[in-house]
């Protein structure tokens, strides 16, 4: 309790403790790292400003060590964190606890990077339809991707979509993200070392409950284009209809193409596909997810 009987929230208590201890965030991060806890400077900053709070098991464990570093009563900060934030009651129980980084090998890194963008509406947008089109050039490189989606708001207020992109081969330049239809670019968080890019695609206006929006955005790689061997989408939340389409240059057709999918908790399923006369191949999933779905192909 603060003077006058006012309740102190977690962010305020953390700010007071940091100020009283006289340590900078970089020094705190170093002390945490020395004890085996990896917490970014951005995360520490968001905790003390109230933009986010520790909820994951790893974050709560780091918080216990943070209490030692700040020399406050054990459990005093943790007691102010409160229960986990709701993920959307309209969702099926099996999807409520899926983190933003679900089905990614870089799960913790994605959750950490997502602290720099607004993800609060993600679980309040039903994925009615998503269509990904991949363009592969004559040198077998990934030239561009076009993403079209139809979303429905399950509450008043959603005003953005969060896109997560990862290069198959980290180290190449991250693609240029271009809003095409009914959206504009918001905050972008890049992590070139892992090939990750997270971005906000802002709608023209906030949606009312039950309202739908159709958006399109494109991703353009820089030459020399990275070798294209697969395209995969990860679904943290289910989608009514998903279409993935790969367009090959007539001068470079793959030897074999396979559709693969892996629902949450199940083994991967693989099906052989054929390139059509238009030099494209596509696959469709209905009422799919959570899980991963995509196409992969062999050149030789």
């Amino acid at each position: 309790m603060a003077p006058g009987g006012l309740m102190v929230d977690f962010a305020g208590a953390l700010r007071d403790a940091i100020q009283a201890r006289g340590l900078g965030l970089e020094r705190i991060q170093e002390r945490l790292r020395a004890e085996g806890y990896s917490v970014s400077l951005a995360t520490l900053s968001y905790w003390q400003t109230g933009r986010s709070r520790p909820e994951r098991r790893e974050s709560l464990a780091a918080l216990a060590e943070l209490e030692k570093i700040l020399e406050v009563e054990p459990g005093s900060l943790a007691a102010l964190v409160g229960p986990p934030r709701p993920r959307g009651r309209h969702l099926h129980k099996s999807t409520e606890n899926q983190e933003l980084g679900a089905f990614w090998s870089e799960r913790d890194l994605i959750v950490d990077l997502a602290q720099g963008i607004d993800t609060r509406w993600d679980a309040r947008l039903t994925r009615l339809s998503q269509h990904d089109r991949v363009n592969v050039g004559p040198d077998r490189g990934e030239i561009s991707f076009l993403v079209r989606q139809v979303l429905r708001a399950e509450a008043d207020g959603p005003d953005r979509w969060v896109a997560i992109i990862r290069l198959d081969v980290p180290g190449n330049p991250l693609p240029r993200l271009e809003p095409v239809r009914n959206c504009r670019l918001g905050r972008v968080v890049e992590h070139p070392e892992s090939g990750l890019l997270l971005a906000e695609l802002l709608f023209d206006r906030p949606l009312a409950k039950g309202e739908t929006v159709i958006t399109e955005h494109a991703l353009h790689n820089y030459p020399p284009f990275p070798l294209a061997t697969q395209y995969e989408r990860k679904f943290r939340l289910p989608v009514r209809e998903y279409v993935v389409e790969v367009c090959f240059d007539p001068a470079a057709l793959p030897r074999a193409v396979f559709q693969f999918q892996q629902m949450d908790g199940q083994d991967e399923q693989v099906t052989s596909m054929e390139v059509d006369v238009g030099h494209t191949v596509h696959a469709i999933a209905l009422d799919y997810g959570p899980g991963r779905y995509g196409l992969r192909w062999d050149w030789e």
Side-chain angles (χ1 to χ4, degrees), residues 1-9 80:
M1 298 290 286
L6 297 177
M7 182 67 73
V8 177
D9 63 5
L80 298 173

Side-chain angles (χ1 to χ4, degrees), residues 7-14 46-48 50-57 59-64 66-67 75-87:
M7 182 67 73
V8 177
D9 63 5
F10 169 73
L14 179 59
Y46 294 151
W47 285 359
Q48 71 167 347
R51 189 167 174 179
S52 67
R53 64 190 186 191
E55 292 183 333
R56 295 180 294 138
R57 181 172 53 189
S59 297
L60 292 173
L63 180 59
L66 183 58
E67 291 173 337
S76 60
L77 292 177
L80 298 173
V81 170
R85 290 169 292 187
R87 301 294 181 182

Side-chain angles (χ1 to χ4, degrees), residues 183-232:
C183 61
R184 65 186 189 280
L185 194 60
R187 285 171 291 186
V188 177
V189 177
E190 297 181 344
H191 195 266
E193 296 85 354
S194 62
L196 278 167
L197 182 153
L198 281 70
E200 298 172 340
L201 291 167
L202 307 178
F203 306 150
D204 294 334
R205 58 178 175 78
L207 302 179
K209 182 177 180 180
E211 194 172 4
T212 57
V213 64
I214 302 173
T215 68
E216 292 182 3
H217 66 274
L219 296 158
H220 303 277
N221 281 321
Y222 296 96
F225 301 114
L227 179 67
T229 58
Q230 71 166 20
Y231 183 85
E232 173 184 306

